Amino acid sequence: MTVELMQEMIEQPQADNKLVNGDRFKPRNDIRNIAIIAHVDHGKTTLVDGMLKQTNVFRSNQQVAERVLDSNDLERERGITILAKNTGIVYHDITINLVDTPGHADFGGEVERVVNMVDGVLLLVDAVEGPMPQTRFVLRQALNKGLKAIVVVNKIDRPSARPNYVVDATFDLFIDLGATDEQADFPVIYTRALEGRAGFTPETLEDDLRPLFETILTHIPPPMVDVDGPTQMLVTTLEYSNYVGKIAIGRLSSGKLRAGQSIMQIMPDGTMKPGKIAQTFMFRDLQRVPVDEVQAGNIVAVAGIPDAGIGDTLADPANPIALPPIMVEEPTVRMTFAVNDSPFAGREGQFLTSRQVYARLQRELESNVAMRVTETDSASEWVVAGRGELHLAILIETMRREGYEFSVSRPEVIFKEDKNGKLLEPIERVYIEVHNDYLGAVSEMFGRRRAVMQGINYGEDGTVYAEYVAPTRGLLGLRQPFLTATRGTGIFHTLFQGYEPLVGEIDMQDRGSLITLEAGTITAYAMAKLQQRGEFIVKPGDEVYAGQIVGENTRPEDMVINVTLAKHLTNFREKPSATTDMMNPPRVLSLDDAIQFLGPNDLLEITPLSMRIRKKILNHDVRQRSMKKGRTAQE
């Protein structure tokens, strides 16, 4: 298709500017709003980099980082997209608003918000792996909204690429998710995102991404808007600026917005509050660009509404009509956040008090719609609920880097009751990929956690692909044992399926903890003597306090040890290296590992510089009496 022919298709009037569907809404042919969805590490953000470069977003001499939209430090470190971000590019005088969405189901709240702003999606799949489990959640949200899709098969240059299989598997996924005939008749583009090349067949790639741009303009419908109607904008994202304060972002469905305009803010519960727009922005390239006026169809940002919330409608005061609020699935996992009360509290953190921690959690609710914060009977504890362990771990790491100091408990699932009072628990569909040599150990592990196998396939290279249905509480803390059982080669993904009746008790405590008896500095002498008791997570020279967990016991029960014991001075001397040479290296825990390490009576102490695992009751004697009372009460 030539550029001239494509331009003619875009510029031709649709239905001679007659009313569409019998109402006032008409297409904005100069705009396309599109979201990019993909599994983690399939090249989604890299493809956006190429689209930005080929539309002259950057200067020729400008130094540009890879994955430029992954601006968050955590996103760059983990190599995943966490926050949905939008940008706008211009191609042949057509504005293409791009929304980069997270690829992990734990951040589904981001996806459920942004699909309200777009008219179509780019589904990016790997030319070898094809559509992956995490793709299902995001794609289901898009199809349920009636959005049209373009399938982009990326990494077509990989040696083991199998594009025909990937396209067939993607079509099966569309059918499985209940796509309409029109949605299932999707165009396919083949790309090498790193090289910025695309084509309509795997063998004939152009030197740029023109085939992709052309397909977006011809296949994705323009937004249907009422330019002259009353103002209507659904707030889907919030940002904050030190200069203009809170910024509300969303798609303007009807009317116009300009600086100084009076609006009516309609909350999801129907409450109305008058307000005034201070400034309006549009997204161009990688920036918010101030403009005098924005018209319906665009994804816009407005400042001047200090208490704007996600799901609010900014409407015309003379004709305030609310748009349907954003519906987000409820969280399934919760943790208790509390003020840090350990002996080392206040050494490293800048924000320590209950007022500061609670204010930060409340601020998170303004933009994180899938999260819930509930107060408890204690003024220094709050229950924070999210979509999964990773969802909560990202919040913990973000607060830690901001200078907060606090403690968190072990994750636990959120139960519900049906109409008959029967207890229900969250169930997830688990997709695993392991080598055949480790299938037995993995099957035993999943069986103990009440998982039921739904299907299994064997690959030609000895890889086994299995599908399970398992309770969420059986999957908490599973990642580390799973990686250990598969020698670090196994892969598993989960997808929330729904609530089902309780499956019964699950015994997941394989090993106990090694707990320090006294406060002090860890000595290599003591660790060398005690290393046969288990695996340490601390090293010589670390400061510890009584009740802190320093390792994992080889047996199921907890063991109290003294890791601060120093060697008695004698006339006998030996090389210092003689002690350390006999020691096993300690296990270094990441934040995710530390959360999974937690037992039911443990806490994770979080500071900007350290992470320590401890018992809720630090005093050994008091802890023993409490455990005895608990056992007596159960009997």
Side-chain angles (χ1 to χ4, degrees):
M1 179 183 296
T2 65
V3 174
E4 291 78 16
L5 178 59
M6 180 189 64
Q7 194 71 22
E8 182 180 345
M9 292 177 61
I10 296 167
E11 292 176 351
Q12 66 181 1
Q14 298 203 11
D16 298 326
N17 269 343
K18 293 179 181 177
L19 298 183
V20 179
N21 298 328
D23 55 27
R24 303 183 308 274
F25 287 82
K26 304 173 185 178
R28 268 297 290 273
N29 291 315
D30 59 337
I31 295 177
R32 299 294 186 275
N33 298 318
I34 189 167
I36 304 182
I37 59 179
H39 183 75
V40 176
D41 199 33
H42 275 198
K44 167 169 43 71
T45 310
T46 304
L47 180 65
V48 175
D49 284 356
M51 298 175 74
L52 293 171
K53 291 174 183 176
Q54 294 187 23
T55 50
N56 300 317
V57 170
F58 309 110
R59 301 188 310 272
S60 58
N61 64 341
Q62 185 174 349
Q63 294 292 323
V64 182
E66 292 184 1
R67 305 193 311 277
V68 66
L69 277 189
D70 282 347
S71 53
N72 185 296
D73 289 340
L74 278 175
E75 293 178 321
R76 290 192 172 277
E77 291 173 16
R78 291 175 176 257
I80 61 174
T81 300
I82 297 172
L83 302 173
K85 292 170 285 293
N86 43 285
T87 184
I89 59 178
V90 178
Y91 182 78
H92 288 303
D93 298 326
I94 308 297
T95 299
I96 302 177
N97 290 311
L98 295 169
V99 182
D100 189 15
T101 63
H104 199 288
D106 276 20
F107 308 110
E110 296 284 316
V111 177
E112 289 163 336
R113 289 193 286 117
V114 300
V115 293
N116 290 277
M117 295 194 293
V118 298
D119 302 293
V121 295
L122 283 183
L123 173 62
L124 194 72
V125 294
D126 189 282
V128 176
E129 298 177 351
M132 296 292 283
Q134 297 292 349
T135 311
R136 298 178 65 95
F137 173 83
V138 188
L139 184 59
R140 183 192 297 133
Q141 301 295 325
L143 295 178
N144 289 343
K145 290 286 184 180
L147 304 181
K148 299 181 72 173
I150 297 172
V151 174
V152 179
V153 181
N154 191 30
K155 304 183 183 179
I156 200 66
D157 55 327
R158 291 182 63 177
S160 51
R162 42 181 184 171
N164 293 333
Y165 163 80
V166 168
V167 173
D168 291 342
T170 305
F171 178 78
D172 293 340
L173 176 61
F174 271 69
I175 300 303
D176 189 33
L177 295 177
T180 63
D181 292 342
E182 186 181 12
Q183 289 174 323
D185 186 20
F186 50 79
V188 181
I189 302 295
Y190 302 89
T191 63
R192 296 183 187 178
L194 274 176
E195 300 175 7
R197 300 175 60 193
F200 295 105
T201 65
E203 299 81 15
T204 58
L205 297 187
E206 302 285 344
D207 294 331
D208 52 27
L209 295 173
R210 275 185 300 174
L212 176 59
F213 286 121
E214 293 175 7
T215 306
I216 290 175
L217 298 187
T218 56
H219 186 73
I220 300 300
M224 306 298 294
V225 298
D226 181 9
V227 178
D228 300 321
T231 301
Q232 277 185 308
M233 171 184 157
L234 182 67
V235 179
T236 54
T237 306
L238 295 175
E239 293 183 1
Y240 187 83
S241 168
N242 292 328
Y243 302 100
V244 297
K246 185 178 290 187
I247 298 174
I249 301 172
R251 186 165 99 173
L252 185 58
S253 303
S254 174
K256 302 175 183 178
L257 281 174
R258 58 186 175 274
Q261 177 179 336
S262 297
I263 57 97
M264 182 66 71
Q265 178 185 354
I266 308 176
M267 284 69 161
D269 60 0
T271 306
M272 296 188 185
K273 182 179 180 181
K276 180 175 287 189
I277 302 296
Q279 200 168 359
T280 56
F281 305 86
M282 288 183 63
F283 292 93
R284 278 294 177 271
D285 304 335
L286 296 173
Q287 299 175 337
R288 288 191 304 266
V289 180
V291 292
D292 295 332
E293 183 180 86
V294 289
Q295 294 183 336
N298 265 308
I299 295 177
V300 303
V302 298
I305 313 298
D307 57 347
I310 291 176
D312 291 356
T313 300
L314 305 184
D316 188 343
N319 189 13
I321 303 174
L323 292 168
I326 297 173
M327 303 301 294
V328 177
E329 291 184 9
E330 292 296 315
T332 58
V333 177
R334 64 187 176 191
M335 300 172 73
T336 300
F337 282 51
V339 172
N340 184 22
D341 61 354
S342 82
F344 293 169
R347 288 189 177 187
E348 301 168 356
Q350 181 180 359
F351 307 108
L352 322 166
T353 66
S354 59
R355 179 182 59 81
Q356 292 170 328
V357 176
Y358 181 65
R360 176 61 181 85
L361 293 175
Q362 289 297 312
R363 195 161 70 248
E364 183 70 19
L365 295 180
E366 293 183 357
S367 58
N368 203 333
V369 293
M371 194 164 281
R372 304 285 186 271
V373 176
T374 307
E375 297 185 48
T376 65
D377 295 336
S378 171
S380 60
E381 290 186 0
W382 311 271
V383 175
V384 181
R387 296 286 277 270
E389 285 180 280
L390 182 59
H391 190 198
L392 295 171
I394 293 297
L395 171 63
I396 293 170
E397 181 65 27
T398 302
M399 292 178 61
R400 175 189 181 190
R401 297 187 181 200
E402 292 173 356
Y404 286 85
E405 185 174 312
F406 55 99
S407 65
V408 297
S409 69
R410 179 186 185 181
E412 58 183 23
V413 300
I414 300 173
F415 297 98
K416 290 184 177 180
E417 288 187 358
D418 62 9
K419 298 178 181 179
N420 300 321
K422 192 174 182 179
L423 202 61
L424 305 177
E425 68 173 329
I427 301 293
E428 302 196 38
R429 191 165 287 270
V430 187
Y431 302 86
I432 69 168
E433 181 179 331
V434 298
H435 194 273
N436 193 30
D437 296 343
Y438 309 125
L439 181 61
V442 170
S443 299
E444 180 185 1
M445 183 184 303
F446 275 81
R448 289 176 54 198
R449 293 170 181 256
R450 302 278 184 165
V452 179
M453 182 179 289
Q454 302 296 302
I456 187 169
N457 293 306
Y458 292 86
E460 297 178 358
D461 58 351
T463 303
V464 180
Y465 304 88
E467 182 180 335
Y468 287 87
V469 170
T472 302
R473 60 192 172 100
L475 302 177
L476 297 178
L478 176 65
R479 190 169 299 276
Q480 189 60 44
F482 176 82
L483 291 175
T484 302
T486 60
R487 304 296 189 270
T489 62
I491 300 173
F492 84 89
H493 303 284
T494 62
L495 194 62
F496 177 67
Q497 179 168 291
Y499 274 84
E500 296 182 9
L502 202 66
V503 299
E505 291 295 325
I506 300 176
D507 182 18
M508 298 182 297
Q509 193 71 18
D510 295 331
R511 297 185 178 185
S513 301
L514 298 177
I515 309 166
T516 183
L517 178 65
E518 299 178 356
T521 302
I522 297 176
T523 64
Y525 173 77
M527 286 186 64
K529 297 287 186 183
L530 294 167
Q531 64 180 352
Q532 62 182 347
R533 300 296 184 187
E535 185 179 25
F536 284 102
I537 58 174
V538 292
K539 63 182 185 298
D542 288 349
E543 281 192 88
V544 294
Y545 49 79
Q548 182 177 334
I549 295 174
V550 295
E552 187 176 48
N553 193 5
T554 55
R555 298 182 178 182
E557 66 273 2
D558 291 341
M559 179 181 293
V560 178
I561 59 176
N562 185 3
V563 290
T564 63
L565 182 66
K567 184 180 180 182
H568 294 292
L569 296 178
T570 67
N571 288 331
F572 178 72
R573 295 290 181 268
E574 61 180 353
K575 293 190 301 182
S577 61
T579 300
T580 57
D581 287 347
M582 297 184 296
M583 288 177 52
N584 297 325
R587 192 164 106 205
V588 179
L589 298 181
S590 65
L591 175 61
D592 297 328
D593 297 334
I595 291 175
Q596 295 185 5
F597 190 96
L598 293 174
N601 298 311
D602 301 343
L603 292 176
L604 176 59
E605 178 186 351
I606 301 289
T607 74
L609 302 178
S610 309
M611 288 186 298
R612 303 180 185 92
I613 301 175
R614 48 161 287 194
K615 286 294 181 181
K616 292 181 179 178
I617 303 175
L618 296 178
N619 185 282
H620 177 60
D621 295 330
V622 177
R623 187 169 63 249
Q624 287 290 94
R625 288 196 294 269
S626 176
M627 292 173 61
K628 288 180 180 179
K629 288 182 180 179
R631 286 195 294 266
T632 304
Q634 290 179 356
E635 293 173 358

